[in-house]
Each structure stands twice: as C-alpha cells, then as structure tokens.
C-alpha cells in the first residue's frame, strides 16, 4: 500500500520552526514511520540536498498535490489534507491510505508546468512559491498558522481549476467579427427614414430633421408678448425691464385716479406709505452694499443715510423709509421743518420713527458736514410747489448739492417742474411718470395695486415685477 504513494507530489508542513516542504515521494518506511522527498523545495526555495527524510512526529500537516498511481497514471489529488499525528502512537499507514481511496473527486489532467519544478508540479495554492523566486526569498505561511487552518479554506476556495483556462488566449478578432457595425448602423438609419416618412407628409425640405444648436429650445412655445401693459393715454416716454417687457409711462392725472380707486377698495394712504417705505429701504440697503457691508462683524462701519423730507406725502414716504433703515442698523438722519408736524400722515410716521435710534433735525446746519453714504431726496411734491420758495428748502438743496454723497430720489414729480437736487437713482411707484433726463437711473416698485383696479381705470396690466418688488427700467 505504501508503494502506491511513490512518485506523488506532496506538501509537508513541519510547523513554524521547520517550515513547509514540497517534493516527490521517493520512499515510505512504515516500520520507522518516515517519508522521503526527492528534489525538495523548502518554503518555495529549492533545497541544496537531493533528498529529505521526515519523521511522523515532525509532520504537522501533509497535503497531497498530485498522486501517481501504481500503474503509472496520474490521479488528481483530493482537496482534503492528510492529517499526521504529532506523536507516533498510531501507525503512519493508517493515515496514508491508498491513492484510489483518498481521491473522491475528478479533476482535469491539464497542468500548468513551472520551470525548474518536477514534471507535473504546479501551483495549486498560495502556501508556496515557484522556483522563479530568488534563492534567499521565503514565503512564510502566516495566515494558516494564525487563523488555524486558513490555508485549507484557501485551497478549497482558490486552489482548484485555477489554471485550466490560462493557456487559451482571448480571440479579439473573432469576437469583433460577430458584430457587423455597418449592417447595424444601416438598419438604424433605415428605421429612422421609415419613421420620418410615416410621421410627415410635407415637402422634402419639411421632412429633413431640423438642426438645433445647444442653446436653442426645441420645444414649441408661444411667442413672447413684450407689451403686456397697455394704457389708454400713453405718456411721453416708454421704459422696458431687463427681460424686455415694455412699461409705458402715465400722466400724473391717471396716476392720481389709479391711487384714488385703489384707496376706495382698501389700499389706504397708510398702507401705501408702508409699502413704499419697505421698497425704498430695500433699494437703499442694496445701494449701501447689502450683505457685504451690513453684517454683525462690521458694526464699526455702519452706513449713514440722510433723508430730506418736505411737508407732503412724499416726505411721509421718506420718514417711513427712514424707520425701516433704522431697524436694519443704519445710521439715519431726517431733515424735517418744524411747522409741518401737525399733518396727519407725517405725524403718525414721526411717532413711529421716534421709537428708533434715528436722529431728526429741523435745520440744514445740523446736517453732517462730512459726506454721508447716501442721500434720499423727498423734498419735491407733485402738486403744491409753494415750499420751493421757503428758506429751509433752499438750504436743504444747497447742502445736498455740496455733499458728495449719491442721491436717491423718491417719487419725484413729472418732467417740466424741475429738479433742484441732481439724483443718481429714482424710484417710481406703480407705473412710472414721464420723467426728465436729470433723474438718473429709474427704478419701479410695486405698491400692491390689484390688477382689477388697473382695469377699472382703463389700463391693461400684467405685473412686470416677477419675483421682485423693485425692478430697474431702461429707456425704450
């Protein structure tokens, strides 16, 4: 029975101290319980001696790599290792059964020959290296020792039939010939032509697919109507928004009638003052720098705004704007003559403004001598111009013209009445008036007039504001 193992390729694990040996079985002595390997390899390196003999007490684990039967044929090995007792109390022949009894599975006879190894010797697992390594290189089997039999699990997973398909190269040309690219593309083109012919019945020019650029919209949309606001009596000027919508100007008489109808439906003067103050303060905060300047970390550079207010509704709008600016941590100074405090619109706004930290002066001499960050002009009125002859008006105008700060004009009168203070920006309410060229860049704010109120005064109206309450206007 021992003679059946002669010529078989085995791997013997002698523990961490002695290492792992592989080779061809040259002799098996049952009486002395020894086994000899010829052309041995120690930890993947070929041994300098032609033969090595092992005792059963030194063998920790024995794996059969290839079995040569007694008839000379090669029998594939079993994937299970052959256990060898640590102490020789049991005979070795009880553990070394016949090759026919050990092999329970059938494997292919195709082997991957390794140069320098015995014939039929091949890599079946990762526990040893081929002779192509250097003479001093060692590959210790650490995982099997630490994990307690990990090498056996690796052999069962990765050690079988790993080399069977490595000898055959992949036939790229043969597989590429299976795909006839020209025939497939011609079939796709034919289906597209048939589809176009079934969908269209026009001229050949109409049947050709349209060529679109990457920035063109291929969806059919209705043409954009840019003139969405139509007034019964257009003013002398027309404006347009950034999106191209036309905003015509209206006369002051039509503007006055629009506000009168809106007030009859509940849009009172107090509501308009509040809405105007909010829009004007938002525009002023943007002109002052917005979030780049008005931050909690920049409290030592708070902007200063001076508001010049007259004894009329425009002055009350300026006081409302001053209150909102003061609530946003802006240094606010209001110029307002003393004798106008009895007016109802101004009195209510002044009462609210005094609850802020803003200042109020009644003389132009009390205004700052150094330039402020912004001047908001609310001195002029649409109807009564008697205040223009008052001394306080002229002193306030002189201070504004001498100060080098930019000016925002809030709801100025129509052209022809003159503008004593040259403005850089102008904010109109609802719909613009035909303003002169000296008002600077025109902006329009939404004061909350409903569409049906516009319709009642004969104005076809669609809001030009979009998602904003203040939009810039350009001369058409």
């Amino acid at each position: 029975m021992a003679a059946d193992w002669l010529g078989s390729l085995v791997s013997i694990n002698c523990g961490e101290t002695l290492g792992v040996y592989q080779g061809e079985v040259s002799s098996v002595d049952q009486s002395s319980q020894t086994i000899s390997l010829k052309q041995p390899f120690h930890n993947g390196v070929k041994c300098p001696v032609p033969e090595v003999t092992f005792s059963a007490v030194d063998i920790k684990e024995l794996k059969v790599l290839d079995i040569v039967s007694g008839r000379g044929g090669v029998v594939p090995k079993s994937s299970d290792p052959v256990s060898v007792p640590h102490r020789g109390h049991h005979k070795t022949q009880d553990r070394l059964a016949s090759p026919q009894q050990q092999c329970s599975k059938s494997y292919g006879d195709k082997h991957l020959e390794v140069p320098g190894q015995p014939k039929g010797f091949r890599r079946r697992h990762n526990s040893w290296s081929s002779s192509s390594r250097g003479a001093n290189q060692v590959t210790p089997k650490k995982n099997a020792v630490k994990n307690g039999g990990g090498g056996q699990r690796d052999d069962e997973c990765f050690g079988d039939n790993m080399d069977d398909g490595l000898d055959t190269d992949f036939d790229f040309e043969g597989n590429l010939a299976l795909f006839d690219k020209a025939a497939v593309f011609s079939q796709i083109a034919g289906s597209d032509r048939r589809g176009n012919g079934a969908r269209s019945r026009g001229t050949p020019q109409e049947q050709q697919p349209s060529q679109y650029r990457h920035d063109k919209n291929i969806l059919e949309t209705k043409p954009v109507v840019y003139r969405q606001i139509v007034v019964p009596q257009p003013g002398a000027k027309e404006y347009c928004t950034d999106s191209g919508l036309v905003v015509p100007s209206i006369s002051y008489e039509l503007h006055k009638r629009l506000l009168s109808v809106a007030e009859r439906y509940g849009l009172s003067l107090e509501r308009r003052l509040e809405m105007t103050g909010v829009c004007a303060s938002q525009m002023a905060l943007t002109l002052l720098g917005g979030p780049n300047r008005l931050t909690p970390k920049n409290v030592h550079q708070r902007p200063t705004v001076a508001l010049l207010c007259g004894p009329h509704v425009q002055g009350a709008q300026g006081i409302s704007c001053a209150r909102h600016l003061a609530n946003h941590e802006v240094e606010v100074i209001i110029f307002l003559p003393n004798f106008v405090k009895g007016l109802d619109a101004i009195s209510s706004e002044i009462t609210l403004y005094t609850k802020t930290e803003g200042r109020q002066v009644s003389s132009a001499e009390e205004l700052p001598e150094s330039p402020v960050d912004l001047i908001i002009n609310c001195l002029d009125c649409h109807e009564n111009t008697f205040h223009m002859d008052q001394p306080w008006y002229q002193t306030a105008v002189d201070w504004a013209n001498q100060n080098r700060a930019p000016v925002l004009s809030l709801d100025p009168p129509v052209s022809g009445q003159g503008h004593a203070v040259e403005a850089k920006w102008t904010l109109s309410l609802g719909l613009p008036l035909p303003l002169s060229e000296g008002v600077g860049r025109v902006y329009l704010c939404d004061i909350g007039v409903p569409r049906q109120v516009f319709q009642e005064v004969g104005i076809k109206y669609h809001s030009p504001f979009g998602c904003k309450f203040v939009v810039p206007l350009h001369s058409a």
Side-chain angles (χ1 to χ4, degrees), residues 229-250:
I229 301 176
V230 180
V231 297
Q233 297 177 355
K237 298 188 67 174
E238 282 189 346
Y239 302 90
C240 63
T241 64
D242 290 339
S243 57
L245 298 178
V246 178
V247 180
S249 63
I250 58 176

Side-chain angles (χ1 to χ4, degrees), residues 136-166:
N136 297 325
Q137 293 179 342
V138 178
T139 307
K141 195 174 181 182
K142 295 182 179 179
N143 293 335
V145 177
K146 291 182 180 179
N147 300 330
Q152 177 181 353
R153 293 193 298 270
D154 292 342
D155 292 340
E156 294 175 356
C157 265
F158 307 107
D160 297 333
N161 294 336
M162 293 295 293
D163 304 327
D164 293 345
L166 298 179

Side-chain angles (χ1 to χ4, degrees), residues 183-201 206-209:
V184 173
F185 285 168
S186 62
Q187 182 180 2
I188 294 175
S191 62
D192 290 342
R193 286 193 295 270
R194 288 193 299 270
N196 292 334
R199 286 191 298 267
S200 62
R201 293 293 185 268
E206 296 176 350
Q207 294 181 5
Q208 295 179 355

Side-chain angles (χ1 to χ4, degrees), residues 328-345:
H328 287 266
E329 303 298 329
V330 177
E331 295 284 351
V332 180
I333 303 174
I334 286 182
F335 167 79
L336 183 66
N338 288 326
F339 69 91
V340 299
K341 292 184 179 179
L343 299 179
D344 294 338

Side-chain angles (χ1 to χ4, degrees), residues 3 26-27 100 109 114 125 176 208 218 259 293 297 304 338 391 399 422 436:
S26 60
S27 65
Q100 288 77 7
D109 294 334
V114 180
H125 50 81
L176 187 60
Q208 295 179 355
I218 65 173
L259 296 182
R293 185 173 183 182
K297 298 181 180 180
T304 303
N338 288 326
W399 177 88
E422 184 178 356
S436 61

